[in-house]
Amino acid sequence: MKSDVDELMPRLLPVEEYDVEDFDPSLPPRNPQEYLRQVQLEASMCPDVMVAQIDPKKLKKNQTVNISLSGCQPAPEGFSPSLKWQQLQVANFSDVRQNVNKHREHWKLQSLDNNVVMPNPEDEEGWLKFCLGEKVYFERLLSQDDNDNDNPGIDYVKMGFPPLLSIVSRLSQASVTIVLEYLMNWLGEKAFTSELGRWLYALLACLEKPLLPEAHSLIRQLARRCSEVRASLESKEDKRLSALNLLICLVARYFEQNDLADKE
């Protein structure tokens, strides 16, 4: 007599019949035949239809929200650069990128100073301190000790390491994207500083085309965030204006995100 398992579905692999007393499905299989027999038994105990229990209240809490991510915020009157200025910056930036690519291998082999310890890629706090310095990271003002004439050397731990070619040339494309994301997160919560601007420019110069999807999304976020900061400026004499315009220009004009570009 055929068992219920045999009647459930036709056999695709031959399984030898075992004596009821000899085959114990609760024990580990001793051979391939017993393994297949256990699979058949387990399949026979599965219900024909499974129904998922869904709590509608939980779905309401996780509704997808559509946010418009179309262009940058328009610049206040008189704050946007001319088209000629943008074209000049794109040409200069293209030269910088060519020089970086040309000399990348040379600078990668140069030894770093003993005080330059590059953080691990996953160390977000370490990279923020490395790029921006502890003074900016901890939002400390310069103290009298920082301007001590008896110690004219620059304390890069406090002031942040500049994006030297010997440093950025050591970054893989994955690391460039990661550090760019760290700085983007910082820019979304903190003030725009000259240290931050220098590193953002250097990382853009190290991005290879065609852009990876992660990098593409990040630079668009960068341009939008820069446009938000620019819109909050109170004067055209603000020292941050030129740097903000430059970053928006490079994302829009060089990396061809034309919908984000400043129009004359």
Side-chain angles (χ1 to χ4, degrees):
M1 181 181 293
K2 291 186 178 181
S3 65
D4 294 339
V5 177
D6 296 326
E7 295 175 355
L8 182 65
M9 60 182 69
R11 293 184 180 185
L12 298 180
L13 292 173
V15 181
E16 296 179 3
E17 295 291 345
Y18 282 87
D19 191 292
V20 176
E21 297 180 357
D22 185 49
F23 175 63
D24 186 351
S26 64
L27 297 177
R30 294 169 296 182
N31 51 54
Q33 288 74 24
E34 287 191 358
Y35 169 75
L36 292 173
R37 188 65 175 172
Q38 282 190 350
V39 172
Q40 288 180 335
L41 289 171
E42 291 174 0
S44 68
M45 291 184 288
C46 293
D48 294 336
V49 179
M50 295 291 292
V51 179
Q53 300 298 323
I54 300 175
D55 186 354
K57 295 181 180 179
K58 292 183 179 180
L59 291 178
K60 290 181 180 180
K61 294 181 180 179
N62 297 307
Q63 290 289 337
T64 300
V65 179
N66 295 321
I67 302 175
S68 176
L69 295 178
S70 53
C72 292
Q73 286 195 21
E77 185 176 355
F79 281 54
S80 61
S82 66
L83 179 58
K84 183 177 181 180
W85 183 90
Q86 294 180 63
Q87 292 171 340
L88 177 61
Q89 302 311 314
V90 169
N92 292 338
F93 183 68
S94 180
D95 292 339
V96 170
R97 283 173 58 88
Q98 290 179 14
N99 287 328
V100 169
N101 291 330
K102 181 178 180 180
H103 302 292
R104 186 188 300 272
E105 293 302 321
H106 167 76
W107 285 107
K108 189 186 299 184
L109 298 176
Q110 301 305 304
S111 58
L112 298 174
D113 293 339
N114 294 332
N115 65 329
V116 182
V117 180
M118 297 175 65
N120 294 324
E122 64 275 7
D123 185 3
E124 180 173 1
E125 180 179 340
W127 272 108
L128 291 173
K129 291 178 181 178
F130 184 86
C131 299
L132 308 177
E134 292 185 350
K135 179 178 72 71
V136 171
Y137 184 82
F138 292 112
E139 298 181 301
R140 292 190 317 209
L141 296 176
L142 277 171
S143 66
Q144 186 174 358
D145 294 337
D146 294 324
N147 291 322
D148 192 348
N149 292 329
D150 295 333
N151 185 21
I154 299 177
D155 188 344
Y156 287 114
V157 174
K158 290 182 179 180
M159 307 302 294
F161 289 91
L164 304 174
L165 279 175
S166 55
I167 294 177
V168 297
S169 295
R170 285 173 161 78
L171 297 177
S172 65
Q173 282 300 291
S175 296
V176 169
T177 304
I178 290 172
V179 178
L180 182 60
E181 182 175 6
Y182 293 156
L183 297 179
M184 266 299 310
N185 293 338
W186 175 271
L187 180 58
E189 300 174 358
K190 305 291 183 178
F192 184 87
T193 62
S194 57
E195 294 86 359
L196 178 60
R198 285 194 293 267
W199 268 96
L200 290 172
Y201 183 93
L203 293 173
L204 289 179
C206 293
L207 280 178
E208 295 179 357
K209 283 186 170 184
L211 295 176
L212 296 174
E214 297 84 354
H216 180 269
S217 175
L218 283 172
I219 65 170
R220 290 183 64 84
Q221 291 179 54
L222 171 61
R224 293 192 189 97
R225 179 54 184 154
C226 287
S227 72
E228 293 171 2
V229 177
R230 181 179 62 182
S232 69
L233 299 181
E234 297 180 355
S235 170
K236 291 186 292 185
E237 305 304 320
D238 194 306
K239 295 180 180 179
R240 295 172 292 175
L241 178 58
S242 180
L244 293 167
N245 280 338
L246 175 59
L247 292 171
I248 296 171
C249 166
L250 296 180
V251 171
R253 301 291 185 182
Y254 183 85
F255 291 101
E256 301 174 339
Q257 307 302 306
N258 296 318
D259 61 308
L260 305 178
D262 286 314
K263 306 296 191 297
E264 282 194 303

Coordinates of all heavy atoms in Angstrom, one line a residue, residues 142-222:
L142 N 39.2 78.9 18.8 CA 40.7 78.9 19.0 C 41.0 79.5 20.3 O 40.5 80.6 20.7 CB 41.3 79.8 17.9 CG 41.6 79.1 16.5 CD1 42.1 80.1 15.5 CD2 42.7 78.0 16.7
S143 N 41.8 78.9 21.1 CA 42.2 79.4 22.4 C 43.6 80.1 22.2 O 44.2 80.1 21.2 CB 42.4 78.2 23.4 OG 43.4 77.4 23.0
Q144 N 44.0 80.7 23.3 CA 45.3 81.4 23.2 C 46.4 80.5 23.0 O 47.4 80.8 22.3 CB 45.5 82.2 24.5 CG 46.8 83.1 24.5 CD 46.9 83.9 25.8 OE1 46.0 83.9 26.6 NE2 47.9 84.7 25.9
D145 N 46.3 79.2 23.5 CA 47.4 78.3 23.3 C 47.5 77.9 21.8 O 48.6 77.6 21.4 CB 47.1 77.0 24.1 CG 47.1 77.2 25.6 OD1 47.8 78.2 26.0 OD2 46.5 76.5 26.4
D146 N 46.4 77.9 21.1 CA 46.4 77.6 19.6 C 47.2 78.6 18.8 O 47.7 78.4 17.8 CB 45.0 77.5 19.1 CG 44.3 76.3 19.7 OD1 44.9 75.3 19.9 OD2 43.1 76.4 19.9
N147 N 47.3 79.8 19.4 CA 48.0 80.9 18.7 C 49.4 81.2 19.3 O 49.9 82.3 19.2 CB 47.2 82.2 18.6 CG 46.0 82.0 17.7 OD1 46.1 81.4 16.7 ND2 44.8 82.5 18.1
D148 N 49.9 80.3 20.1 CA 51.2 80.5 20.8 C 52.3 80.7 19.8 O 52.6 79.9 19.0 CB 51.4 79.3 21.7 CG 52.5 79.6 22.7 OD1 53.2 80.6 22.5 OD2 52.7 78.8 23.7
N149 N 53.0 81.9 19.9 CA 54.1 82.2 19.0 C 55.3 81.3 19.2 O 56.1 81.2 18.4 CB 54.5 83.7 19.1 CG 53.4 84.6 18.6 OD1 52.6 84.2 17.7 ND2 53.2 85.8 19.2
D150 N 55.3 80.7 20.4 CA 56.5 79.8 20.7 C 56.4 78.5 20.0 O 57.3 77.7 20.0 CB 56.6 79.6 22.2 CG 57.0 80.9 22.9 OD1 57.6 81.8 22.3 OD2 56.6 81.1 24.1
N151 N 55.2 78.2 19.5 CA 54.9 76.9 18.8 C 54.3 77.2 17.4 O 53.1 77.1 17.2 CB 54.0 76.1 19.6 CG 53.8 74.7 19.0 OD1 54.7 74.2 18.2 ND2 52.8 74.0 19.4
P152 N 55.2 77.7 16.4 CA 54.6 78.1 15.1 C 54.1 77.0 14.3 O 53.5 77.2 13.3 CB 55.8 78.8 14.5 CG 57.0 78.1 15.1 CD 56.6 77.7 16.5
G153 N 54.4 75.7 14.6 CA 54.0 74.6 13.8 C 52.5 74.4 13.8 O 51.8 74.8 14.8
I154 N 51.9 73.9 12.7 CA 50.4 73.6 12.6 C 50.1 72.3 13.3 O 50.7 71.3 13.0 CB 50.0 73.6 11.2 CG1 50.2 75.0 10.5 CG2 48.5 73.3 11.1 CD1 49.9 75.1 9.1
D155 N 49.2 72.3 14.2 CA 48.7 71.1 14.8 C 47.6 70.6 14.0 O 46.4 71.0 14.1 CB 48.2 71.4 16.3 CG 47.9 70.1 17.0 OD1 47.7 69.1 16.4 OD2 47.8 70.2 18.2
Y156 N 47.9 69.6 13.1 CA 46.8 69.1 12.2 C 45.8 68.3 12.9 O 44.7 68.1 12.3 CB 47.5 68.2 11.1 CG 48.3 69.1 10.1 CD1 49.7 69.0 10.0 CD2 47.6 70.0 9.2 CE1 50.4 69.7 9.1 CE2 48.3 70.7 8.3 CZ 49.7 70.6 8.3 OH 50.4 71.4 7.4
V157 N 46.1 67.7 14.0 CA 45.0 67.0 14.8 C 43.9 68.0 15.2 O 42.7 67.7 15.1 CB 45.6 66.4 16.0 CG1 44.5 65.7 16.9 CG2 46.6 65.3 15.6
K158 N 44.3 69.2 15.6 CA 43.3 70.2 15.9 C 42.7 70.9 14.7 O 41.5 71.2 14.6 CB 44.0 71.3 16.8 CG 44.3 70.9 18.2 CD 44.9 72.0 19.0 CE 45.3 71.6 20.4 NZ 45.8 72.7 21.2
M159 N 43.6 71.2 13.7 CA 43.1 72.0 12.5 C 42.6 71.1 11.4 O 42.0 71.6 10.4 CB 44.3 72.9 12.0 CG 44.9 73.7 13.1 SD 43.7 74.8 13.9 CE 43.2 75.9 12.6
G160 N 42.9 69.8 11.4 CA 42.5 68.9 10.3 C 43.6 68.8 9.2 O 44.3 69.8 9.0
F161 N 43.8 67.6 8.7 CA 44.8 67.4 7.6 C 44.2 67.9 6.3 O 43.1 67.6 5.9 CB 45.1 65.9 7.6 CG 45.9 65.4 8.7 CD1 45.3 64.9 9.8 CD2 47.3 65.5 8.7 CE1 46.0 64.4 10.9 CE2 48.0 65.0 9.8 CZ 47.4 64.5 10.9
P162 N 45.0 68.6 5.6 CA 44.6 69.1 4.2 C 44.5 67.9 3.3 O 45.3 66.9 3.5 CB 45.7 70.1 3.8 CG 46.9 69.7 4.6 CD 46.4 69.1 5.9
P163 N 43.7 67.9 2.2 CA 43.6 66.8 1.3 C 44.8 66.8 0.3 O 44.7 67.1 -0.9 CB 42.3 67.1 0.6 CG 42.2 68.6 0.6 CD 42.8 69.0 1.9
L164 N 46.0 66.5 0.8 CA 47.2 66.4 0.0 C 47.1 65.2 -1.0 O 46.4 64.2 -0.7 CB 48.4 66.2 0.9 CG 48.6 67.3 2.0 CD1 49.8 66.9 2.9 CD2 48.9 68.6 1.4
L165 N 47.8 65.4 -2.1 CA 47.8 64.3 -3.1 C 48.3 63.0 -2.5 O 47.8 61.9 -2.9 CB 48.6 64.7 -4.3 CG 47.9 65.6 -5.3 CD1 48.9 66.0 -6.4 CD2 46.7 64.9 -5.9
S166 N 49.3 63.1 -1.6 CA 49.8 61.9 -1.0 C 48.8 61.2 -0.1 O 48.9 60.0 0.2 CB 51.1 62.2 -0.1 OG 50.7 63.2 0.8
I167 N 47.8 61.9 0.3 CA 46.7 61.3 1.1 C 45.6 60.8 0.2 O 45.2 59.6 0.3 CB 46.2 62.3 2.1 CG1 47.3 62.6 3.2 CG2 44.9 61.8 2.8 CD1 46.9 63.7 4.2
V168 N 45.0 61.7 -0.6 CA 43.8 61.3 -1.4 C 44.2 60.2 -2.5 O 43.3 59.5 -2.9 CB 43.2 62.5 -2.0 CG1 42.6 63.5 -1.0 CG2 44.1 63.2 -3.0
S169 N 45.4 60.2 -2.9 CA 45.8 59.2 -3.9 C 45.8 57.8 -3.3 O 45.7 56.8 -4.1 CB 47.2 59.5 -4.4 OG 47.3 60.7 -5.1
R170 N 45.8 57.6 -2.0 CA 45.7 56.3 -1.4 C 44.3 55.8 -1.2 O 44.1 54.7 -0.9 CB 46.3 56.4 0.0 CG 47.9 56.4 0.0 CD 48.5 56.7 1.4 NE 49.9 56.3 1.4 CZ 50.9 57.0 1.0 NH1 50.6 58.2 0.4 NH2 52.1 56.6 1.1
L171 N 43.3 56.7 -1.5 CA 41.9 56.3 -1.4 C 41.4 55.5 -2.6 O 41.5 56.0 -3.7 CB 41.0 57.5 -1.1 CG 41.3 58.3 0.1 CD1 40.4 59.6 0.2 CD2 41.1 57.5 1.4
S172 N 40.8 54.4 -2.4 CA 40.1 53.7 -3.5 C 38.8 54.4 -3.8 O 38.4 55.3 -3.1 CB 39.8 52.2 -3.1 OG 38.9 52.2 -2.0
Q173 N 38.2 54.1 -4.9 CA 36.9 54.7 -5.3 C 35.9 54.4 -4.2 O 35.1 55.3 -3.9 CB 36.5 54.2 -6.7 CG 37.2 54.8 -7.8 CD 37.0 56.3 -7.9 OE1 35.9 56.8 -8.1 NE2 38.1 57.1 -7.6
A174 N 35.9 53.3 -3.7 CA 34.9 53.0 -2.6 C 35.2 53.9 -1.4 O 34.2 54.4 -0.8 CB 35.0 51.5 -2.2
S175 N 36.4 54.1 -1.1 CA 36.8 54.9 0.1 C 36.4 56.4 -0.2 O 36.0 57.1 0.7 CB 38.3 54.8 0.4 OG 38.6 53.5 0.9
V176 N 36.7 56.8 -1.4 CA 36.3 58.2 -1.8 C 34.8 58.4 -1.6 O 34.4 59.4 -1.0 CB 36.7 58.5 -3.3 CG1 36.1 59.8 -3.7 CG2 38.2 58.5 -3.4
T177 N 34.0 57.5 -2.0 CA 32.6 57.6 -1.9 C 32.2 57.6 -0.4 O 31.3 58.3 0.0 CB 31.9 56.5 -2.6 OG1 32.3 56.5 -4.0 CG2 30.4 56.6 -2.5
I178 N 32.8 56.7 0.4 CA 32.5 56.6 1.8 C 32.8 57.9 2.5 O 32.0 58.4 3.3 CB 33.2 55.4 2.4 CG1 32.7 54.1 1.9 CG2 33.1 55.5 4.0 CD1 33.5 52.9 2.4
V179 N 34.0 58.4 2.3 CA 34.4 59.7 3.0 C 33.5 60.8 2.5 O 33.1 61.7 3.3 CB 35.9 60.0 2.7 CG1 36.3 61.3 3.4 CG2 36.8 58.9 3.3
L180 N 33.2 60.9 1.2 CA 32.3 61.9 0.7 C 30.9 61.8 1.4 O 30.3 62.8 1.8 CB 32.1 61.7 -0.8 CG 31.2 62.7 -1.5 CD1 31.7 64.1 -1.3 CD2 31.1 62.4 -3.0
E181 N 30.4 60.6 1.7 CA 29.2 60.4 2.4 C 29.3 60.9 3.8 O 28.3 61.6 4.4 CB 28.7 59.0 2.4 CG 27.4 58.7 3.1 CD 26.9 57.3 3.0 OE1 27.7 56.4 2.5 OE2 25.8 57.0 3.4
Y182 N 30.4 60.6 4.5 CA 30.6 61.1 5.9 C 30.5 62.7 5.9 O 29.8 63.2 6.8 CB 31.9 60.7 6.4 CG 32.1 59.2 6.6 CD1 33.4 58.6 6.7 CD2 31.0 58.4 6.9 CE1 33.5 57.2 6.9 CE2 31.1 57.0 7.1 CZ 32.4 56.5 7.1 OH 32.5 55.1 7.3
L183 N 31.2 63.3 5.0 CA 31.2 64.8 5.0 C 29.8 65.3 4.6 O 29.4 66.4 5.0 CB 32.3 65.3 4.0 CG 33.7 64.9 4.4 CD1 34.7 65.4 3.4 CD2 34.1 65.4 5.8
M184 N 29.1 64.6 3.7 CA 27.8 65.0 3.3 C 26.8 65.0 4.6 O 26.0 65.9 4.8 CB 27.2 64.1 2.2 CG 27.4 64.7 0.8 SD 26.6 66.2 0.6 CE 25.0 65.9 1.2
N185 N 27.0 63.9 5.4 CA 26.2 63.8 6.6 C 26.5 65.0 7.5 O 25.6 65.5 8.2 CB 26.4 62.5 7.3 CG 25.9 61.3 6.5 OD1 25.0 61.4 5.6 ND2 26.4 60.1 6.7
W186 N 27.7 65.3 7.6 CA 28.2 66.4 8.5 C 27.6 67.7 7.9 O 27.0 68.5 8.7 CB 29.7 66.5 8.5 CG 30.2 67.7 9.2 CD1 30.5 68.9 8.7 CD2 30.6 67.7 10.6 NE1 31.0 69.7 9.7 CE2 31.0 69.0 10.9 CE3 30.5 66.8 11.7 CZ2 31.5 69.4 12.2 CZ3 30.9 67.2 12.9 CH2 31.4 68.5 13.2
L187 N 27.6 67.9 6.7 CA 27.1 69.2 6.1 C 25.6 69.3 6.3 O 25.1 70.4 6.4 CB 27.5 69.2 4.6 CG 27.0 70.5 3.8 CD1 27.6 71.7 4.4 CD2 27.4 70.4 2.3
G188 N 24.9 68.2 6.4 CA 23.5 68.2 6.6 C 23.1 68.7 8.0 O 22.0 69.0 8.2
E189 N 24.1 68.6 8.9 CA 23.8 69.0 10.3 C 24.6 70.1 10.8 O 24.2 70.8 11.8 CB 24.0 67.8 11.2 CG 23.2 66.5 10.8 CD 23.6 65.3 11.6 OE1 24.5 65.4 12.4 OE2 23.0 64.2 11.5
K190 N 25.7 70.4 10.2 CA 26.7 71.4 10.8 C 26.9 72.5 9.7 O 26.4 72.5 8.6 CB 28.0 70.8 11.1 CG 27.9 69.6 12.1 CD 27.4 70.0 13.5 CE 27.4 68.8 14.4 NZ 27.0 69.2 15.8
A191 N 27.7 73.5 10.2 CA 28.0 74.6 9.3 C 29.0 74.3 8.2 O 29.8 73.4 8.4 CB 28.5 75.8 10.2
F192 N 28.9 75.0 7.1 CA 29.9 74.9 6.1 C 31.2 75.6 6.4 O 31.2 76.8 6.8 CB 29.4 75.5 4.8 CG 30.3 75.3 3.6 CD1 30.2 74.1 2.8 CD2 31.2 76.2 3.2 CE1 31.0 73.9 1.7 CE2 32.0 76.0 2.1 CZ 31.9 74.9 1.4
T193 N 32.3 74.9 6.4 CA 33.6 75.5 6.7 C 34.6 75.4 5.6 O 34.4 74.6 4.7 CB 34.2 74.9 8.0 OG1 34.5 73.5 7.7 CG2 33.3 74.9 9.2
S194 N 35.7 76.2 5.7 CA 36.7 76.1 4.6 C 37.4 74.7 4.6 O 37.7 74.2 3.5 CB 37.8 77.2 4.8 OG 38.4 77.1 6.1
E195 N 37.6 74.1 5.7 CA 38.2 72.8 5.8 C 37.3 71.8 5.1 O 37.7 70.9 4.3 CB 38.3 72.3 7.2 CG 39.4 73.1 8.0 CD 38.8 74.3 8.7 OE1 37.6 74.6 8.5 OE2 39.5 75.0 9.4
L196 N 36.0 71.9 5.3 CA 35.0 71.0 4.6 C 35.0 71.2 3.1 O 35.0 70.3 2.3 CB 33.6 71.2 5.2 CG 32.5 70.4 4.6 CD1 32.7 68.9 4.7 CD2 31.1 70.8 5.2
G197 N 35.0 72.5 2.7 CA 35.0 72.8 1.3 C 36.2 72.3 0.5 O 36.1 71.8 -0.6
R198 N 37.4 72.4 1.2 CA 38.6 71.8 0.5 C 38.5 70.3 0.3 O 38.9 69.8 -0.8 CB 39.9 72.2 1.4 CG 40.3 73.6 1.3 CD 41.7 73.8 1.9 NE 41.7 73.5 3.3 CZ 41.6 74.5 4.2 NH1 41.4 75.7 3.9 NH2 41.6 74.2 5.5
W199 N 38.0 69.6 1.3 CA 37.9 68.2 1.2 C 36.9 67.7 0.2 O 37.1 66.8 -0.6 CB 37.7 67.5 2.6 CG 38.9 67.2 3.3 CD1 39.6 67.9 4.2 CD2 39.7 66.0 3.0 NE1 40.7 67.2 4.6 CE2 40.8 66.0 3.9 CE3 39.5 64.8 2.2 CZ2 41.7 65.0 4.0 CZ3 40.4 63.8 2.3 CH2 41.5 63.9 3.1
L200 N 35.8 68.5 0.1 CA 34.7 68.1 -0.8 C 35.3 68.3 -2.3 O 35.0 67.5 -3.1 CB 33.5 69.0 -0.6 CG 32.7 68.7 0.7 CD1 31.6 69.7 0.9 CD2 32.1 67.3 0.6
Y201 N 36.0 69.4 -2.5 CA 36.6 69.7 -3.8 C 37.5 68.5 -4.2 O 37.5 68.0 -5.3 CB 37.3 71.0 -3.8 CG 37.9 71.4 -5.1 CD1 37.1 72.2 -6.0 CD2 39.1 71.0 -5.5 CE1 37.7 72.6 -7.2 CE2 39.7 71.4 -6.7 CZ 39.0 72.2 -7.6 OH 39.5 72.5 -8.8
A202 N 38.4 68.2 -3.2 CA 39.4 67.1 -3.5 C 38.8 65.8 -3.8 O 39.2 65.1 -4.7 CB 40.4 67.0 -2.3
L203 N 37.7 65.4 -3.1 CA 37.0 64.2 -3.3 C 36.3 64.1 -4.6 O 36.3 63.1 -5.3 CB 36.1 63.9 -2.2 CG 36.7 63.6 -0.8 CD1 35.6 63.5 0.3 CD2 37.6 62.3 -0.8
L204 N 35.7 65.3 -5.0 CA 35.1 65.4 -6.4 C 36.2 65.2 -7.4 O 36.0 64.6 -8.5 CB 34.4 66.7 -6.5 CG 33.1 66.9 -5.7 CD1 32.6 68.3 -6.0 CD2 32.1 65.9 -6.1
A205 N 37.4 65.7 -7.2 CA 38.5 65.6 -8.2 C 39.0 64.1 -8.3 O 39.5 63.8 -9.3 CB 39.6 66.5 -7.8
C206 N 38.7 63.3 -7.3 CA 39.1 61.9 -7.3 C 38.1 61.0 -7.8 O 38.4 59.8 -8.0 CB 39.6 61.5 -5.9 SG 41.1 62.3 -5.3
L207 N 36.8 61.4 -8.0 CA 35.8 60.6 -8.5 C 36.0 60.2 -9.9 O 36.2 61.1 -10.7 CB 34.4 61.2 -8.3 CG 33.8 61.2 -6.9 CD1 32.4 62.0 -7.0 CD2 33.5 59.8 -6.4
E208 N 35.9 58.9 -10.2 CA 36.1 58.5 -11.6 C 34.8 58.4 -12.3 O 33.7 58.1 -11.7 CB 36.8 57.1 -11.6 CG 38.2 57.1 -11.0 CD 38.8 55.7 -11.1 OE1 38.1 54.8 -11.4 OE2 40.0 55.6 -10.7
K209 N 34.8 58.8 -13.6 CA 33.6 58.6 -14.5 C 33.7 57.3 -15.2 O 34.8 56.9 -15.6 CB 33.6 59.8 -15.5 CG 33.1 61.1 -14.9 CD 33.0 62.1 -16.0 CE 32.3 63.4 -15.6 NZ 32.1 64.3 -16.7
P210 N 32.6 56.7 -15.5 CA 31.2 57.1 -15.1 C 31.0 56.8 -13.6 O 31.6 55.9 -13.0 CB 30.3 56.1 -16.0 CG 31.2 54.9 -16.2 CD 32.6 55.4 -16.3
L211 N 30.1 57.7 -13.1 CA 29.9 57.6 -11.6 C 29.1 56.4 -11.2 O 28.3 55.9 -12.0 CB 29.1 58.9 -11.2 CG 29.8 60.2 -11.3 CD1 28.8 61.3 -10.9 CD2 31.1 60.3 -10.5
L212 N 29.5 55.8 -10.1 CA 28.7 54.8 -9.5 C 27.4 55.3 -9.0 O 27.3 56.5 -8.7 CB 29.5 54.1 -8.4 CG 30.8 53.4 -8.7 CD1 31.5 52.9 -7.5 CD2 30.5 52.2 -9.6
P213 N 26.3 54.5 -8.9 CA 25.1 55.1 -8.5 C 25.1 55.8 -7.1 O 24.5 56.8 -6.9 CB 24.2 53.8 -8.4 CG 24.8 52.9 -9.4 CD 26.2 53.1 -9.3
E214 N 26.0 55.2 -6.2 CA 26.1 55.8 -4.9 C 26.7 57.2 -5.0 O 26.2 58.2 -4.3 CB 26.9 55.0 -3.9 CG 26.3 53.6 -3.6 CD 26.7 52.6 -4.7 OE1 27.3 52.9 -5.7 OE2 26.3 51.4 -4.5
A215 N 27.8 57.4 -5.8 CA 28.4 58.6 -6.0 C 27.5 59.6 -6.7 O 27.5 60.8 -6.3 CB 29.7 58.4 -6.8
H216 N 26.8 59.2 -7.6 CA 25.8 60.0 -8.4 C 24.8 60.6 -7.4 O 24.5 61.8 -7.4 CB 25.1 59.2 -9.4 CG 24.1 60.0 -10.3 ND1 22.8 60.0 -9.9 CD2 24.3 60.7 -11.4 CE1 22.2 60.8 -10.8 NE2 23.0 61.2 -11.7
S217 N 24.2 59.8 -6.5 CA 23.3 60.3 -5.6 C 23.9 61.3 -4.6 O 23.3 62.3 -4.3 CB 22.7 59.1 -4.8 OG 21.8 59.6 -3.8
L218 N 25.1 61.0 -4.1 CA 25.8 61.9 -3.1 C 26.1 63.2 -3.7 O 25.9 64.2 -3.0 CB 27.1 61.2 -2.7 CG 26.9 60.0 -1.7 CD1 28.3 59.3 -1.4 CD2 26.4 60.5 -0.4
I219 N 26.6 63.3 -4.9 CA 27.0 64.6 -5.4 C 25.7 65.5 -5.7 O 25.8 66.7 -5.6 CB 27.9 64.5 -6.7 CG1 27.1 63.9 -7.9 CG2 29.1 63.8 -6.4 CD1 27.9 64.0 -9.2
R220 N 24.6 64.9 -6.0 CA 23.4 65.6 -6.2 C 22.9 66.1 -4.8 O 22.5 67.3 -4.7 CB 22.3 64.8 -6.9 CG 22.6 64.5 -8.3 CD 21.5 63.7 -9.0 NE 20.2 64.4 -9.0 CZ 19.9 65.3 -9.9 NH1 20.7 65.6 -10.9 NH2 18.7 65.9 -9.9
Q221 N 23.0 65.3 -3.8 CA 22.7 65.8 -2.5 C 23.6 66.9 -2.1 O 23.2 67.9 -1.4 CB 22.9 64.6 -1.5 CG 21.8 63.5 -1.6 CD 22.1 62.4 -0.6 OE1 22.2 62.7 0.6 NE2 22.2 61.2 -1.0
L222 N 24.9 66.8 -2.5 CA 25.9 67.9 -2.1 C 25.4 69.2 -2.8 O 25.4 70.3 -2.1 CB 27.2 67.5 -2.6 CG 28.3 68.5 -2.6 CD1 28.6 69.0 -1.1 CD2 29.6 68.0 -3.2

